[in-house]
Amino acid sequence: MTSDQMKSRLEKAYPGDPIEVVDLTGTHDHYQVMIVSNTFRGLTRIQQHKHVMSVFADELKTGEVHALTIQTKLPEAEA
């Protein structure tokens, strides 16, 4: 899965929210994603990360995405 594919999938899950995707190793299977979204309001950090991981559930199961580092924030945390 390419970083563009990762970003596209996240943009569908979190429309209009700031999203960054970094391929950490250049091997298309170790990624870091950063998302700022109101979707995370009221969720614990673990719930926020599970929400993001659910977007890539199939790829995480098969190992297509081997490692996923997740950073989530609420919009006011960005100000």
Side-chain angles (χ1 to χ4, degrees):
M1 176 170 254
T2 68
S3 54
D4 287 342
Q5 290 171 319
M6 297 274 296
K7 188 167 184 174
S8 177
R9 184 92 58 90
L10 289 168
E11 287 171 342
K12 288 179 185 171
Y14 306 98
D17 293 330
I19 295 168
E20 291 181 39
V21 176
V22 178
D23 183 349
L24 295 173
T25 61
T27 56
H28 304 293
D29 61 355
H30 289 69
Y31 285 100
Q32 176 176 334
V33 298
M34 293 145 289
I35 306 164
V36 179
S37 177
N38 275 316
T39 302
F40 304 127
R41 190 169 305 284
L43 301 178
T44 66
R45 176 108 25 207
I46 290 172
Q47 290 170 323
Q48 293 173 17
H49 288 200
K50 284 183 175 180
H51 199 277
V52 175
M53 289 174 65
S54 72
V55 175
F56 304 105
D58 290 340
E59 290 79 7
L60 288 165
K61 276 184 193 169
T62 63
E64 182 177 352
V65 174
H66 178 73
L68 183 61
T69 302
I70 301 169
Q71 293 181 348
T72 54
K73 293 181 182 178
L74 293 170
E76 62 268 22
E78 280 293 294

